Structure formats: C-alpha cells, structure tokens
Amino acid sequence: MPITLIAGLGNPGSRYVDTRHNAGFWFLDQLAQQANESFRNNDKFYGDICKINSCWLLKPNTFMNLSGKSIAALANFYKIPAEQILVIHDELDFPVGTIRLKKGGGDGLHNGLKDIIAKLGSRNFLRLRIGIGHPGHSSKVTNYVLNKPTIDDQIAIDHVINSALKEMPLIMAGELNQAMQVLHSLNLP
C-alpha cells in the first residue's frame, strides 16, 4: 500500500531547529529539498506542508507532544488511513547512526507517538525511527533531546538520513520489505 502522508516530528521555532528531537524535521527538509519543493504554513493542518507527487509531507507546528492534532487533521481531511501514514521521529532506544522502519506498534514512551495514536485512534501507521542514543538515565532525557548532538553524532545521524532518503521511493511505493533490508543493514560512517 503506497504512503500518502509522511509526517516528520519535531518542535517548531528557532530554539529547537538543531536539537535531537527534530530529527524528523531534518529528514523531511532533505526529502522536500531533493524534490525541489518548499514547505508552506497551513493553519487548517496545524503545520507546514508540501506535496511530492501524490504524497503529503507534514511538519506539525504543535510541538512534539501534540503532533497527533496536526497529523489527524490532515489525515481526516484527505481520508488517509493510518496504514498509509509514515511518521519519522527520533529514537532514544537506538544508538546514534541507526535507523529502522517499523509497521505499527506502541508508543515506546515517546509522547509524540502517544498523541498520534490517541488522535488517529490507530497504531497501524509506519514509523521510521532515527537513533539518537540515550543519555544514560531517564532524568537526563529531556535536556538531552532538546539539545544539539555532538559533531560526531550529527555526522552519524546525517549519514543514516542520507542513506534512508535513497530508499524513500521504495517506502513511498509500499515496498517495505526491500527498504527494510537496506535500512536495517546500515552502519556508522
């Protein structure tokens, strides 16, 4: 089943542009740039949108923990089922330089995913999870995700984003198994 909505998660505003939590935004910015498209604000969908062929790209302006409001607004308006939605987000539980594609699942204690599941009423959307590493203790997570990665971590994250961008035609066409084989075998640069 082809993907008709790709949502990248992050926080709006210049304070958060370079923070780990914005890995989903980084990915979508690169995807749009490759297609020579630009995002424009859309108040109806609470985010910035553009379109590549028949697929919407969405960067919610609702802040991470309320991402579902934006995604559900666009999905409901265009009658896009959860199975045709791909959410791209940072993943604390994966080492930096790891990227994984997954069908469905829980929220993994990710507040953005928790809100999306609640607002869509479904867990059956795809997730592209970009590893950002873990600070070691739960008390350090908020500060960690809301700060810039180290130079080495940024290089590793950029590497997996660039590699995953090459697989987007397969993912967007719904050829997930083939894309997973490539993505799940990526190594650090």
Side-chain angles (χ1 to χ4, degrees), residues 99-161:
I99 195 161
R100 295 287 183 265
L101 182 63
K102 177 182 177 182
K103 298 178 195 177
D107 61 44
L109 302 177
H110 192 293
N111 289 327
L113 292 178
K114 187 180 298 185
D115 192 60
I116 295 165
I117 291 167
K119 298 292 191 310
L120 288 178
S122 175
R123 301 170 178 269
N124 295 329
F125 53 92
L126 293 167
R127 300 104 190 275
L128 186 61
R129 303 173 293 166
I130 301 168
I132 61 166
H134 197 285
H137 192 275
S138 60
S139 65
K140 298 178 180 178
V141 165
T142 300
N143 189 50
Y144 181 77
V145 299
L146 295 179
N147 277 289
K148 293 179 181 183
T150 64
I151 292 171
D152 287 343
D153 285 358
Q154 187 68 60
I155 290 168
I157 291 167
D158 290 344
H159 172 74
V160 294
I161 286 174

Side-chain angles (χ1 to χ4, degrees), residues 18-126:
D18 296 325
T19 65
R20 290 176 181 90
H21 230 9
N22 276 32
F25 280 8
W26 300 343
F27 192 100
L28 279 196
D29 287 339
Q30 292 292 322
L31 184 59
Q33 184 179 15
Q34 282 185 352
N36 293 316
E37 293 293 338
S38 300
F39 283 93
R40 64 191 179 284
N41 183 261
N42 185 298
D43 291 337
K44 183 189 330 186
F45 302 133
Y46 311 99
D48 295 339
I49 63 170
C50 71
K51 199 169 188 184
I52 297 176
N53 300 322
S54 59
C55 185
W56 289 102
L57 304 186
L58 171 67
K59 298 191 311 183
N61 286 335
T62 55
F63 285 92
M64 179 69 75
N65 296 351
L66 300 174
S67 299
K69 178 180 181 179
S70 176
I71 294 169
L74 195 148
N76 292 337
F77 185 83
Y78 289 108
K79 298 181 177 20
I80 300 170
E83 295 79 12
Q84 290 182 272
I85 298 172
L86 170 63
V87 174
I88 303 172
H89 65 89
D90 61 300
E91 179 60 66
L92 278 167
D93 293 332
F94 291 163
V96 174
T98 304
I99 195 161
R100 295 287 183 265
L101 182 63
K102 177 182 177 182
K103 298 178 195 177
D107 61 44
L109 302 177
H110 192 293
N111 289 327
L113 292 178
K114 187 180 298 185
D115 192 60
I116 295 165
I117 291 167
K119 298 292 191 310
L120 288 178
S122 175
R123 301 170 178 269
N124 295 329
F125 53 92
L126 293 167

Side-chain angles (χ1 to χ4, degrees), residues 1-17:
M1 186 176 294
I3 301 301
T4 52
L5 169 56
I6 302 174
L9 302 191
N11 287 312
S14 59
R15 152 71 177 98
Y16 301 102
V17 168

